[in-house]
Amino acid sequence: MSTRRLTTAQALVAFLARQYTERDGRRHRLIGATWGIFGHGNVAGIGQALVEYADEMPFLQGRNEQAMVHAAVGYARQSGRLSAHAVTTSIGPGATNLVTGAALATVNHLPVLLLPGDTFAGRPADPVLQQLEVPHAGDVSVNDTLRPVSRYFDRITRPEALVPAALAAMRVLADPAATGAVTLALPQDVQAEAYDWPEEFFADRVWHVRRPRPDAAELDAAVRAVRAARRPLIVAGGGVHHSRAETALAGLAAATGIPVASTQAGKGSLRHDHPADVGGIGHTGTATAAHLARTADLVIGAGTRYTDFTTASATLFARPGVRFLNLNITGFDAHKMAALPLVADAREGLEHLADALAGHTVPGSYRDEYTGLKAEWEDRVTAAYTARDERARPTQAQVLGLLDALAGEDDILINAAGSLPGDLHKLWRTRSRDQYHVEYGYSCMGYEIPAALGVALAAPGRPVWALVGDGTYLMNPTEIVTAVQEGLPIKVVILQNHGYASIGGLSETVGAERFGTAYRHRAPDGTYTGDPLPVDLAANAASLGLRVLRAHTVRDLREALAEARAATVPTCVYTETETADTVSGPPGAQAWWDVPVAAIATRPSAVGAREEYDRQVAARRRHL
């Protein structure tokens, strides 16, 4: 048998450079590039291997380990989960900084390969720098924190163990039903160890991304359920996008007249102007979708996992006798809500449903009802977007309105946390299947800027907008430097409202009185003054290399956004929104969300909040 003598790290990089996915006859490189920050534990192993194979494996330098994972996740999502990035770190804090990003990837079913350095397998010195000592277990390291947030985890303690581990890692990354974060922990001595590898290990390998078709009996039951329903509602989730099933969904909706609401991950499954699109669903959704959900007799989940924001903490689907039909590639999600399961790829399932339902339509009165409600909601969106005074500071909703007027089908908006996801879900008029990129499975502050880098790498030439509030910006601005270094012309929009406005609003509704959510001066007596802190985030962004455009008024902002969109270098638009105590201008939540309130309290705000909580929670139900 022919062999090649390489170090373990060299063998891994050479192997990764020859892995591909294939779906619908198109081949994609599975690991498009490797992000890295080097230290002891990976500099002499993976670092040297990346130098050795620089022509075969592109390298991207990051500034923060968590941010590198976010960038890799943004790339994977924009690539339709058919291509991913690897991330390498040193041992110790470099490795543990991966945990948040890994959790985000796994929660959202997005592939990323993590290659943290690890302590010595041979234990020549024990402990080594940054090693966690566990008295009752000698084989534990800080990398074990990645086990619960990884879909596959292995520690390569011998060179030959890399062969089965690497193959298993690729299998999970390429499996649409199992994908997420994959971790191969690499002891630093094993990385540098030489071994005679079988030549076959380095052959091009293609991983077919399956499209399972629905079971005939399940499909028959699903068709009977749809035909019997008078008020069906489709809930489109992220699985529609992952499957590239948007055209199939649009065809089914047009033919049957069944309205389509979307989760945060599924928004954009239909264009905003499709007659059947009724907007976002759940706590951050539209009044149209909320009404249809409360009165639906059949809820058809397409690629959704029914988070509490989607179900309004199990209070939204209120009609007695409502039933569920779930199309999902995983049986785990297909059986939620005691549903009729239709376990299949989203595109395959929707196409089979459309064929089997040929000639079937919802009652005309139902179609007229949701069409009228949609028109009423659009009027509310327009009102929220419209500024009466061009010389005033914009509200957050008006910022979105100005972007809405500017954006085309190619623009991509990225957001993850704060009040912006709610405003975007309610208001944004999505024009293309991948325009709306809101990470709300983990809703991780600090995701937006690094994710924008990954999206820009996967979609070169398209305008990529990272929308961040001041709280989110302060969490993780470091990859601005990477954007400047790599020449990625992302557009960062910083909305300054001088505090954690979203959680402040929530705090007020649950009786916590906005405690600890504003940026204010603290006086010697411990009280906080009304003046905001003299923090200049625009100057901070400029110091990291961004071109910064300050916008003080609605008119300024319109001009600045247009200038940023045309820019060929990384650019920031900075504006203070009106007012510090106002989260946004659109209609409030159209459905409830369960945040438990103190059962016993003396302060009137908490007592009143508990009374409202008890009233809302009484509407919760189990769907059995």
Side-chain angles (χ1 to χ4, degrees), residues 130-408:
Q130 299 177 326
Q131 179 177 337
L132 172 71
E133 292 187 273
V134 180
H136 63 271
D139 62 345
V140 171
S141 82
V142 297
N143 283 327
D144 288 278
T145 60
L146 288 160
R147 287 182 184 271
V149 293
S150 297
R151 296 305 301 266
Y152 179 82
F153 179 99
D154 204 348
R155 179 175 283 113
I156 313 303
T157 57
R158 290 289 307 145
E160 58 268 31
L162 177 65
V163 173
L167 292 171
M170 299 304 104
R171 172 186 57 80
V172 174
L173 288 172
D175 186 340
T179 196
V182 168
T183 301
L184 296 180
L186 302 170
Q188 56 181 308
D189 51 345
V190 177
Q191 288 182 50
E193 189 173 342
Y195 184 74
D196 293 320
W197 304 89
E199 197 64 51
E200 292 85 352
F201 186 55
F202 307 109
D204 287 0
R205 192 178 302 269
V206 180
W207 301 85
H208 176 68
V209 180
R210 64 181 66 88
R211 285 193 181 276
R213 297 181 177 182
D215 173 80
E218 289 187 352
L219 179 63
D220 184 59
V223 170
R224 291 200 305 272
V226 176
R227 288 186 177 276
R230 301 290 293 173
R231 297 182 63 85
L233 172 67
I234 295 173
V235 176
V240 174
H241 290 311
H242 297 326
S243 176
R244 293 293 191 260
E246 298 89 355
T247 300
L249 176 62
L252 175 65
T256 62
I258 300 174
V260 178
S262 56
T263 69
Q264 285 280 10
K267 189 172 172 72
S269 294
L270 294 185
R271 278 182 57 103
H272 75 96
D273 52 3
H274 189 290
D277 180 67
V278 295
I281 192 169
H283 180 65
T284 54
T286 69
T288 309
H291 170 74
L292 297 177
R294 291 186 179 105
T295 58
D297 56 3
L298 178 69
V299 179
I300 306 168
T304 180
R305 57 194 185 93
Y306 290 107
T307 68
D308 62 341
F309 258 59
T310 297
T311 68
S313 299
T315 64
L316 185 56
F317 304 110
R319 184 184 178 112
V322 62
R323 303 302 297 171
F324 294 83
L325 164 63
N326 291 343
L327 165 61
N328 205 288
I329 200 167
T330 70
F332 174 77
D333 288 313
H335 282 85
K336 288 178 177 177
M337 314 294 280
L340 284 173
L342 188 60
V343 181
D345 167 74
R347 193 186 75 181
E348 288 288 330
L350 290 168
E351 288 178 346
H352 278 74
L353 273 175
D355 289 343
L357 289 168
H360 173 77
T361 62
V362 299
S365 58
Y366 184 46
R367 195 190 302 248
D368 292 342
E369 177 186 345
Y370 72 71
T371 299
L373 291 171
K374 175 180 178 177
E376 291 176 10
W377 184 262
E378 282 301 307
D379 289 341
R380 298 174 76 178
V381 172
T382 299
Y385 276 175
T386 303
R388 292 189 178 91
D389 184 355
E390 291 273 312
R391 298 165 298 176
R393 285 182 181 177
T395 66
Q396 184 165 282
Q398 289 163 4
V399 175
L400 299 184
L402 293 174
L403 266 175
D404 176 79
L406 180 68

Side-chain angles (χ1 to χ4, degrees), residues 16 19-21 28-33 75 81-85 111 169-171 173-174 207:
L16 294 177
Q19 305 303 301
Y20 299 88
T21 59
H28 310 263
R29 180 162 171 160
L30 178 50
I31 305 299
Y75 176 86
R81 304 196 300 186
L82 298 172
S83 187
H85 281 165
M170 299 304 104
R171 172 186 57 80
L173 288 172
W207 301 85

Side-chain angles (χ1 to χ4, degrees), residues 12 33 109 115 141 143 171 192 195 232 268 280 422 429 469 490 531 553 556 573 595:
L12 176 58
H109 303 294
L115 304 174
S141 82
N143 283 327
R171 172 186 57 80
Y195 184 74
R429 293 163 172 159
I490 63 171
D531 298 326
T553 68
D556 292 344
V573 175
V595 177

